[in-house]
């Protein structure tokens, strides 16, 4: 059972890493492939968009045709696309490969979580497992900076794609041995029933979208600040995010255990408020700043906040969803995360750019991100107090969750 969960978490980790791993490698990629400045962002955006837009379809396909089957096919597509990205000789080849990676990721991601939940009933044990699954996403989003920096510095930018190949192949082989196939019910019935009128599901998806978008923008501005005004190398920037990864690794599993005692709503509130405080602190940066005083404290607060918030957010977004609909539910959840990332980046960086380039723009970006996370805390208040606390959730109360 542990190996099965480990394989699924490893696959999810790889997908999330590929959202941010390009950040510190972009200057090298631009030089290597002679990508015009105006097209450089496509290397990241095409992956995120195809990933996000196709997640619901990927989850629905797993419900109908088999979650393990779709997971393995998607992992194969992602691995192939990674190899094509690594050997790209022209910008269009890299862009096409990144889009194809997104297609594979959209088949893998919702089915990893659907396969996990198929192994466990709703309750404390599933909450703990979701805490670990949430940790992989949080750690992947932050450690991608470290991984990208180290690989780019020592092995070149192509290595950030090559590393996916052995992981993808091993994942397909191990999954075939340790995972059991599962499916959902009627596609039409499931599509009509899943996520419609469920207040907890709606709340969880909105909160996750806001957290994902603001976190992506925060990491983006922090990377630019460290590489620009502070003059850090790609590897130094990567190591600058290492303590943040450790915090997420420690806090996320703890959050999975605390949900049963404190409830999902309370943990989401604590996490989003802490993240907002960290982003507001980062807005105090200036040209004479340094990493330890001006960057690290804020990033640690954001990391701890995310670690507390991710597991209860996912639990909230899947509470009351029938087993037959788990693939679709997680497809919607992951769509919220990926499209939240894309939309958050677009809105926050757009506002920051309109204000001005450099530190002034970064400061505004951090403040906008802090405001949006504070909004997520307000949204989290809609969560029924019993969500995530099985011992206190009687049948009558469960029925109220959907109203």
């Amino acid at each position: 059972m542990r190996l099965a969960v480990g394989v699924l978490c490893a696959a999810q980790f790889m997908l999330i890493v590929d959202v941010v791993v390009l950040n510190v490698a972009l200057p090298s990629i631009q030089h290597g492939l002679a990508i015009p400045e105006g097209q450089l962002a496509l290397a990241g955006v095409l992956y995120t968009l195809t990933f996000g837009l196709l997640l619901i379809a990927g989850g629905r396909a797993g419900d109908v045709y088999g979650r393990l089957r779709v997971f393995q096919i998607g992992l194969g597509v992602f691995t192939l696309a990674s190899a094509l990205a690594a050997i790209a000789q022209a910008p269009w080849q890299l862009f096409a490969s990144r889009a194809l990676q997104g297609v594979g990721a959209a088949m893998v991601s919702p089915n990893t979580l659907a396969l996990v939940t198929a192994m466990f009933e709703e309750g404390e044990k599933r909450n703990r497992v979701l805490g670990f699954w949430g940790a992989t996403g949080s750690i992947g989003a932050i450690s991608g900076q470290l991984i990208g920096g180290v690989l780019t510095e020592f092995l070149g930018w192509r290595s950030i794609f090559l590393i996916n190949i052995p992981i993808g192949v091993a994942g397909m082989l191990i999954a075939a041995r340790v995972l059991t196939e599962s499916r959902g019910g009627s596609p039409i019935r499931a599509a009509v029933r899943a996520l419609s009128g469920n207040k907890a599901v709606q709340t969880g998806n909105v909160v996750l979208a806001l957290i994902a978008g603001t976190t992506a923008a925060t990491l983006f501005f922090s990377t630019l600040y460290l590489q620009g005004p502070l003059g850090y190398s790609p590897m130094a920037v990567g190591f600058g995010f290492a303590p943040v990864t450790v915090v997420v690794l420690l806090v996320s599993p703890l959050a999975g255990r605390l949900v049963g005692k404190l409830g999902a709503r309370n943990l989401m509130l604590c996490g989003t408020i802490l993240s907002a405080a960290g982003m507001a602190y980062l807005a105090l940066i200036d040209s004479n700043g340094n990493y330890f005083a001006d960057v690290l404290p804020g990033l640690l607060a954001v990391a701890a906040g995310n670690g507390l918030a991710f597991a209860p957010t996912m639990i909230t977004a899947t509470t009351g969803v029938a087993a037959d609909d788990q693939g679709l539910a997680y497809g919607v959840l992951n769509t919220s995360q990926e499209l939240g990332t894309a939309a958050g980046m677009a809105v926050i960086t757009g506002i920051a750019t309109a204000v001005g380039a450099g530190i002034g723009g970064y400061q505004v970006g951090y403040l906008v991100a802090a405001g949006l996370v504070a909004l997520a805390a307000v949204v989290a208040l809609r969560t029924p107090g019993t969500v995530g606390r099985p011992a206190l959730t009687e049948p009558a109360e469960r029925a109220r969750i959907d109203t």
Side-chain angles (χ1 to χ4, degrees):
M1 186 73 75
R2 290 183 179 179
L3 182 58
V5 172
V7 169
L8 297 172
C9 287
Q12 180 67 10
F13 175 83
M14 180 174 64
L15 305 185
I16 299 302
V17 163
D18 264 61
V19 174
V20 298
V21 74
L22 259 73
N23 282 358
V24 294
L26 280 176
S28 299
I29 294 174
Q30 182 180 22
H31 177 75
L33 297 181
I35 301 177
E37 186 73 29
Q39 298 179 15
L40 190 59
L42 289 174
V45 170
L46 286 172
Y47 175 69
T48 304
L49 283 180
T50 54
F51 191 174
L53 290 173
L54 296 176
L55 272 165
I56 295 178
R60 187 71 263 166
D63 287 343
V64 177
Y65 300 109
R67 293 157 182 164
L68 178 57
R69 176 183 298 177
V70 175
F71 168 84
Q72 290 181 299
I73 294 173
L75 201 53
V77 171
F78 183 88
T79 303
L80 173 62
S82 298
L84 294 174
I87 63 173
Q89 300 298 314
W92 72 266
Q93 295 172 352
L94 177 65
F95 299 154
S97 299
R98 287 290 283 170
L100 186 60
Q101 276 188 307
V103 174
M107 299 172 71
V108 172
S109 188
N111 290 295
T112 61
L113 211 45
L115 286 164
V116 165
T117 54
M119 302 179 203
F120 304 96
E121 298 283 339
E122 274 192 19
E124 185 177 351
K125 194 167 186 180
R126 180 189 284 188
N127 290 349
R128 289 201 303 269
V129 173
L130 288 177
F132 284 109
W133 193 92
T136 64
S138 303
I139 295 168
I142 295 173
S143 65
Q145 309 276 349
L146 171 61
I147 294 170
V150 172
L151 291 176
T152 301
E153 186 100 353
F154 288 104
L155 300 175
W157 67 265
R158 296 182 189 276
S159 63
I160 66 176
F161 300 114
L162 288 172
I163 196 173
N164 292 334
I165 299 174
I167 298 174
V169 171
M172 286 186 286
L173 294 175
I174 296 173
R177 296 179 62 88
V178 302
L179 293 173
T180 303
E181 185 62 278
S182 68
R183 288 180 172 83
S186 165
I188 297 176
R189 176 175 56 83
V192 171
R193 186 174 69 241
L195 311 169
S196 59
N198 188 319
K199 184 168 69 174
V201 171
Q202 295 165 359
T203 299
N205 277 277
V206 172
V207 170
L208 184 60
L210 289 169
I211 291 174
T214 54
T215 300
T218 297
L219 297 178
F220 177 73
F221 290 127
S222 299
T223 301
L224 293 180
Y225 179 62
L226 290 172
Q227 284 190 309
L230 298 192
Y232 279 48
S233 68
M235 185 176 68
V237 171
F239 277 108
F241 286 97
V244 182
T245 304
V246 173
V247 170
V248 176
L249 180 63
L250 294 175
V251 174
S252 293
L254 176 64
R257 294 193 294 270
L258 289 175
V259 169
K261 298 179 179 179
L262 302 179
R265 180 176 63 193
N266 291 333
L267 277 185
M268 280 193 289
L269 284 172
C270 291
T272 50
I273 291 171
L274 185 57
S275 291
M279 293 170 190
Y281 182 91
L282 286 165
L284 301 175
I285 60 171
D286 59 48
S287 57
N288 298 316
N290 67 78
Y291 166 76
F292 291 100
D294 298 278
V295 179
L296 183 60
L299 287 181
L300 291 178
V302 173
N306 283 359
L308 288 174
F310 266 121
T313 299
M314 287 185 290
I315 291 166
T316 300
T318 56
T319 294
V321 177
D324 286 352
D325 303 333
Q326 289 295 326
L328 178 61
Y330 288 114
V332 173
L333 182 61
N334 281 277
T335 297
S336 297
Q337 182 173 1
E338 297 308 321
L339 293 185
T341 297
M345 279 288 291
V347 170
I348 297 171
T349 58
I351 294 173
T353 302
V355 170
I359 292 177
Y362 306 160
Q363 291 172 327
V364 170
Y366 285 131
L367 287 175
V368 174
L372 290 174
V373 174
L375 176 61
V378 174
V379 174
L381 290 171
R382 298 180 69 247
T383 306
T386 53
V387 171
R389 306 177 73 178
L392 301 180
T393 308
E394 299 298 331
E397 182 64 27
R398 283 183 178 271
R400 290 177 54 196
I401 291 175
D402 293 336
T403 63

